[in-house]
Each structure stands twice: as C-alpha cells, then as structure tokens.
Amino acid sequence: MKKNFAIIGLGRFGSSICRTLVESGHDVLAIDLNEDRVNEYMNIATHAVVANAQDESVLRSLGIRNFDHVIIAIGEDIQASILTTLMIKEMGNSYITAKAQNAYHGKVLEKIGADHVVHPERDMGIRIGHHLVSRNVVDYLELSDKYSLVELKVTNSKFFNKTLLELNFRQRYGLNVIGIRRGQEMIISPAADAVIQVNDTLMIVGGIKEIDWLENQMP
Ligand code: ADP
C-alpha cells in the first residue's frame, strides 16, 4: 500500500531514506532549511520545500498532521530536532521516527513521544565493530539488549559437512539458524538435515553472548 511520508532534514541520513522510499513507490515530502539540499531533491522527492521545521505555522501550512509517517532527520541541531518532534506529536497522529545524535538525545525523543528512535551512527559502529573483530561477520544487528542477528561465514572446519541437527546449536546454545546463504542461493528456514558446507554464510538469531562465542569460533 502506498503511504505518504514527510522527511525533515536532508543530510546524509534523511536523503538516503528519501531515495529509498521514492524507489519503493511512496510519496515523499522533503523539507530542509538549506536551499541547495532542497534543489538537489526537487526531482527525486514527490515535493521538496525550503522551510524551517521549528516554525509551527510552517508545519501547519504544509499539512504535516495529514502524513502517515514523519521522519525527523535533523542531525547536529538537537534543539531543532526536539522542538520539531514535540510540535508534530502535538499536531496529530503521524507515526514519528526520529534520529538521535546520542543516548541523551534519544531518551528525550522517546519521552516526548517519538514512536521510533534510531541511532544510526551507534548502530553502524556496532556492526562495523563486529566485522572488525571477525571478518567472517558479514552483518550484525542488535534486536534488543539481549538478542541479535548475525550473518556469519563458516570458516571453522569442525562445522563443515555436519547437519544442523548434528551441530544442534538450538539445544546447546539457544542459537537459531534462520537462513543459509550459499553463493547466489538462499535457503530460508533450513531443515534439520541441511548440511553446512565450506564458505556457507549462516543467518543466526540468538543471545548476544552466544553469538559472540560463535563469532570467535570462526578464525
Ligand atoms: P546527517 O548526519 O544526517 O548528515 P546533518 O546534520 O548533516 O545530518 O543534516 C541535517 C539536515 O537537517 C541539514 O540539511 C539541515 O539543513 C537540516 N535542518 C536542520 N535544522 C532544520 C530545521 N529547523 N528545519 C529544517 N531542516 C533543518
């Protein structure tokens, strides 16, 4: 279903969200203080306007309250981010995603009613950190403070040519293999008799400690 989105702030974060939403066929209103950034997105976003989101009358005249989803992607200016979030929250029922610069900023955004607070720099740091610990970590995503999802290349020969049942990750460590990537092929929800081959990449959901342990098994 087509949705309408408003994005406030066309920095690196807001602009990449804008492109992704437009490519997925959604309507996007892009707003930024900076005229050059708005001009750049004139032909990409459905509408692009130069405006200061801290001005309530501007938000009203743009009809922000009628948007299904508003993304507040203001970076450096934390005060502008907080004030804009607060005003949009008070105006209507749009689902609000807001970008936090740091943990305190994130807490405030949650308190004033942002529905989804994202920490792109922190999260990307964690993902890259895991990749640096082991090159075999293709991707890493924290699902909560206890669980994460990892894409891990199997390089330890003790795992080769064994079935998932033989490895028994779920019983032993509470780790669930939800997918196996083998070259171009992707096996989703592999059966217990699936055999792990050299250079398979496993997609695993489980406890953070157990995933750390498994990462360390892949030299
Ligand atoms: P990023 O880290 O995503 O690149 P930036 O801080 O570079 O973030 O970009 C944030 C964008 O938000 C900038 O283009 C800036 O002009 C815009 N912005 C900041 N304050 C406001 C505001 N009050 N109203 C509209 N746009 C704003």
Side-chain angles (χ1 to χ4, degrees):
M1 209 174 71
K2 196 165 169 165
K3 287 188 185 167
N4 60 1
F5 293 85
I7 300 177
I8 301 174
L10 290 171
R12 291 155 301 177
F13 181 68
S15 60
S16 47
I17 291 183
C18 179
R19 283 179 191 278
T20 307
L21 292 174
V22 171
E23 280 165 15
S24 310
H26 296 290
D27 282 335
V28 178
L29 166 68
I31 302 166
D32 202 295
L33 273 179
N34 182 311
E35 202 174 333
D36 292 340
R37 294 215 168 151
V38 171
N39 284 337
E40 213 181 305
Y41 280 82
M42 223 39 133
N43 298 322
I44 297 167
T46 320
H47 300 283
V49 292
V50 180
N52 185 351
Q54 288 191 82
D55 184 337
E56 195 169 351
S57 61
V58 166
L59 293 178
R60 286 195 190 284
S61 67
L62 289 170
I64 288 292
R65 59 192 295 275
N66 302 317
F67 280 79
D68 301 318
H69 201 141
V70 181
I71 296 108
I72 296 154
I74 297 176
E76 297 290 296
D77 191 345
I78 292 180
Q79 182 178 316
S81 149
I82 291 171
L83 195 62
T84 307
T85 305
L86 192 61
M87 287 190 296
I88 293 172
K89 185 71 194 173
E90 282 177 347
M91 264 176 207
N93 293 315
S94 311
Y95 186 91
I96 301 176
T97 295
K99 170 189 156 167
Q101 283 294 93
N102 57 50
Y104 296 116
H105 183 198
K107 276 210 173 113
V108 174
L109 292 170
E110 273 168 22
K111 271 264 183 290
I112 60 178
D115 299 285
H116 182 203
V117 176
V118 291
H119 298 258
E121 274 150 8
R122 180 199 67 185
D123 292 349
M124 191 49 91
I126 293 173
R127 288 163 91 165
I128 293 173
H130 279 270
H131 183 69
L132 294 175
V133 170
S134 165
R135 297 261 165 86
N136 298 311
V137 175
V138 180
D139 206 352
Y140 182 94
L141 199 64
E142 251 180 39
L143 302 174
S144 73
D145 55 358
K146 293 199 183 68
Y147 297 98
S148 43
L149 186 156
V150 71
E151 253 183 82
L152 186 64
K153 194 164 163 190
V154 184
T155 51
N156 185 330
S157 60
K158 75 177 179 188
F159 299 113
F160 295 157
N161 302 319
K162 299 240 165 69
T163 65
L164 291 179
L165 188 67
E166 281 171 312
L167 292 170
N168 206 4
F169 286 152
R170 188 181 294 158
Q171 293 286 324
R172 283 191 195 151
Y173 316 108
L175 294 170
N176 288 286
V177 178
I178 57 167
I180 303 173
R181 192 191 303 281
R182 184 170 296 152
Q184 300 292 348
E185 195 193 354
M186 181 78 200
I187 306 160
I188 297 289
S189 295
D193 61 359
V195 179
I196 304 298
Q197 299 179 3
V198 179
N199 285 336
D200 276 354
T201 297
L202 304 183
M203 301 174 84
I204 301 167
V205 174
I208 289 177
K209 274 199 202 122
E210 290 73 21
I211 284 183
D212 276 348
W213 168 82
L214 192 61
E215 281 175 15
N216 285 315
Q217 301 293 306
M218 307 298 170

